[in-house]
Amino acid sequence: MLSECTVYAGANPTPSPPDGQWDLTNYHLLDLGRPHHSIRCMTVVHDKVWCGFRNKIYVVQPKAMKIEKSFDAHPRKESQVRQLAWDGDGIWVSIRLDSTLRLFHAHTHQHLQDVDIEPYVSKMLGTGKLGFSFVRITALMVSCNRLWVGTGNGVIISIPLTDTNKVTAGPGKPGGVIRVYGDENSDKVTAGTSVPFCSMAHAQLCFHGHRDAVKFFTAVPGQVIPSGAGGAAEVGSDKGVEEHPQQQQERSVLVMSGGEGYIDFRMGDEAGETEEPLDEHTLKLQPFLAKAERSHLIVWQVMGSQA
């Protein structure tokens, strides 16, 4: 559970109730600061929990129930950490009212990379499409080896991730490199994986977006049967799989964004004026909103070869 200035975690040495419910009277409390500030985001990073509180990141060791490390995510004290996205040995961090993403190392906490998405969005869409509002990051997620970035303008960017330190020779082979990181609090050594640097040269901006801020991203597994394997009615069904065992299915992931309204940035707001008439049931639910202004989910299918 999460309150404005504390982290609650189950420090439960006693047996759980027989009905399997949480014992809300038995908890451990970590106080991160003054009560008029709040913890805005949390994410699991390996075996630790990272919390964004004001302009700092707190690294919590959940087994020991203690704050292991804290450091500034941004030099400006009035800044606030808003989103965290973890992959491999790196964590991408967004700052409130800022268009720059900051990459930190999971083990050393070193600041590795800055990526400002504002020039990229302005170059692709033009300042006229963005109006007078500046670019700020409102949603962040890592999926399919990509960093998905949603902005306050409703623009969505998909950025490939690449480990620039990766070597061709594997571990144990001549010339291979094995990266390990020491634990400051013990003699433990952690094996390194990969660092998710952003490859902006191959970033993709989606012309389908939201009229207001992108609220969230989520990803769910999907499955696709090749078109030659059967009719549309059989796609994804057990029947279709049994009748065509020779066809190899290609895995896919569905990435979804949620936000208010829909807009095609190539056409602007004109798309909302040419929408088809609304059905009577929909009008009763939201009678004062045009179709393009209602909340939308935008879905991308990422194939296994791209993931």
Side-chain angles (χ1 to χ4, degrees):
M1 296 176 62
L2 186 69
S3 75
E4 288 195 348
C5 67
T6 56
V7 178
Y8 292 83
N12 198 352
T14 60
S16 58
D19 58 0
Q21 299 297 315
W22 282 31
D23 183 1
L24 299 181
T25 64
N26 186 20
Y27 59 84
H28 188 86
L29 184 146
L30 293 176
D31 194 345
L32 301 188
R34 303 178 66 181
H36 58 276
H37 293 285
S38 59
I39 300 169
R40 302 308 301 257
C41 53
M42 297 173 66
T43 191
V44 175
V45 179
H46 296 300
D47 61 342
K48 299 178 177 62
V49 178
W50 284 38
C51 305
F53 178 72
R54 303 186 70 181
N55 71 322
K56 289 181 174 291
I57 291 176
Y58 288 80
V59 181
V60 178
Q61 173 53 262
K63 293 182 180 179
M65 293 295 173
K66 66 178 183 179
I67 299 172
E68 190 173 274
K69 179 81 173 180
S70 67
F71 59 94
D72 290 343
H74 197 280
R76 198 169 55 238
K77 289 189 176 181
E78 61 271 20
S79 298
Q80 296 180 22
V81 177
R82 275 303 168 89
Q83 287 95 19
L84 299 169
W86 166 52
D87 185 58
D89 283 341
I91 300 90
W92 282 101
V93 179
S94 72
I95 306 297
R96 178 178 177 267
L97 302 180
D98 201 320
S99 63
T100 300
L101 290 163
R102 301 168 69 84
L103 175 64
F104 291 91
H105 199 284
H107 300 295
T108 66
H109 312 124
Q110 180 185 359
H111 178 208
L112 302 175
Q113 186 182 19
D114 279 342
V115 171
D116 187 1
I117 64 170
E118 194 278 332
Y120 183 80
V121 175
S122 299
K123 180 180 178 180
M124 291 293 293
L125 298 182
T127 53
K129 298 287 186 182
L130 298 176
F132 294 103
S133 57
F134 57 89
V135 177
R136 57 189 176 89
I137 298 165
T138 57
L140 199 64
M141 181 185 72
V142 173
S143 179
C144 306
N145 201 33
R146 286 175 170 269
L147 184 65
W148 299 78
V149 183
T151 72
N153 313 91
V155 176
I156 295 161
I157 304 173
S158 173
I159 310 171
L161 298 175
T162 177
D163 183 6
T164 57
N165 296 323
K166 187 178 292 183
V167 294
T168 55
K173 298 181 180 179
V177 175
I178 301 176
R179 285 173 291 180
V180 294
Y181 302 94
D183 190 335
E184 296 179 354
N185 301 313
S186 69
D187 295 331
K188 290 175 58 179
V189 174
T190 304
T193 55
S194 60
V195 180
F197 291 94
C198 273
S199 177
M200 291 304 294
H202 301 95
Q204 294 177 312
L205 186 145
C206 183
F207 287 109
H208 303 280
H210 300 282
R211 289 193 169 201
D212 203 349
V214 181
K215 301 296 185 181
F216 65 87
F217 288 111
T218 188
V220 296
Q223 202 168 41
V224 174
I225 297 178
S227 57
E234 297 176 347
V235 173
S237 67
D238 293 337
K239 180 179 177 183
V241 175
E242 293 173 358
E243 291 185 353
H244 303 276
Q246 73 280 8
Q247 292 285 352
Q248 185 177 2
Q249 298 183 21
E250 188 175 11
R251 300 276 178 178
S252 68
V253 174
L254 299 180
V255 176
M256 293 177 278
S257 73
E260 295 181 15
Y262 165 79
I263 186 171
D264 187 332
F265 287 102
R266 294 167 296 185
M267 301 168 59
D269 286 340
E270 298 175 1
E273 300 173 359
T274 58
E275 294 282 355
E276 66 271 14
L278 300 174
D279 59 88
E280 183 178 352
H281 177 69
T282 305
L283 283 172
K284 288 180 180 179
L285 294 176
Q286 292 176 298
F288 303 109
L289 293 179
K291 186 174 181 181
E293 295 173 340
R294 300 169 196 271
S295 297
H296 279 66
L297 283 175
I298 302 177
V299 184
W300 295 266
Q301 185 181 52
V302 184
M303 303 308 295
S305 59
Q306 300 172 277

